[in-house]
Amino acid sequence: MTTPSALVRPAGVPFARRAAARAVLLPAVVLSLLPPRRVRTVLGLVCRGARPATAEEAKNARDAMCAVSLRCAGPRGCLPRSLGAALLCRLGGHWPTWCTGVRVVPPFTAHAWIEADGRPVDEGVPDGYFTRLIAVAPARSRSR
């Protein structure tokens, strides 16, 4: 038996933000093909000098990625979606905390997401639902 589902693509994303999201989509997909160590290294370099993103800025970036890409909007698009949202935030001079990890409840599946203000952005799950394995935070908040 399958569970019916429909992809929800955010509406009302401004043209300029959609264009910027399209620009970072290919780099995000290419990054998603790299080994985790390389992804962490690249993102660590990219986030230098950025200020921490607010929850609203991070949500706007995530929404833009979902608006321009069915892959990112899909249930298995978490890695390119989170990478694209982080890169899109960086274009604006800010950086969310990019995370990858696993769910803490069975089934233990991998997931990638962005955080702002210490909380997952628009994931629809309670705090503590995921355990971080890798995190790339803005330089000013790397004390975690």
Side-chain angles (χ1 to χ4, degrees):
M1 181 174 198
T2 61
T3 304
S5 65
L7 298 180
V8 177
R9 295 179 79 180
V13 177
F15 175 78
R17 183 161 292 277
R18 286 194 322 265
R22 283 188 183 98
V24 300
L25 183 59
L26 181 60
V29 170
V30 170
L31 269 175
S32 73
L33 301 174
L34 296 177
R37 181 184 53 152
R38 290 270 169 98
V39 172
R40 182 179 54 204
T41 301
V42 169
L43 294 182
L45 293 171
V46 170
C47 77
R48 287 185 180 173
R51 66 170 175 74
T54 65
E56 182 180 353
E57 291 166 337
K59 182 181 180 338
N60 288 341
R62 186 183 188 282
D63 286 350
M65 293 309 298
C66 292
V68 301
S69 170
L70 283 175
R71 179 179 187 171
C72 289
R76 295 183 185 211
C78 64
L79 187 54
R81 176 178 58 238
S82 64
L83 290 167
L87 293 174
L88 188 55
C89 280
R90 186 60 183 105
L91 286 179
H94 44 272
W95 186 262
T97 300
W98 177 82
C99 306
T100 186
V102 295
R103 292 193 316 189
V104 297
V105 295
F108 301 103
T109 57
H111 189 58
W113 66 98
I114 58 172
E115 292 182 357
D117 302 327
R119 305 186 75 189
V121 174
D122 210 24
E123 290 294 327
V125 296
D127 292 344
Y129 190 77
F130 300 114
T131 294
R132 290 181 184 179
L133 297 178
I134 299 173
V136 179
R140 294 180 207 153
S141 65
R142 286 197 181 169
S143 60
R144 284 184 166 207

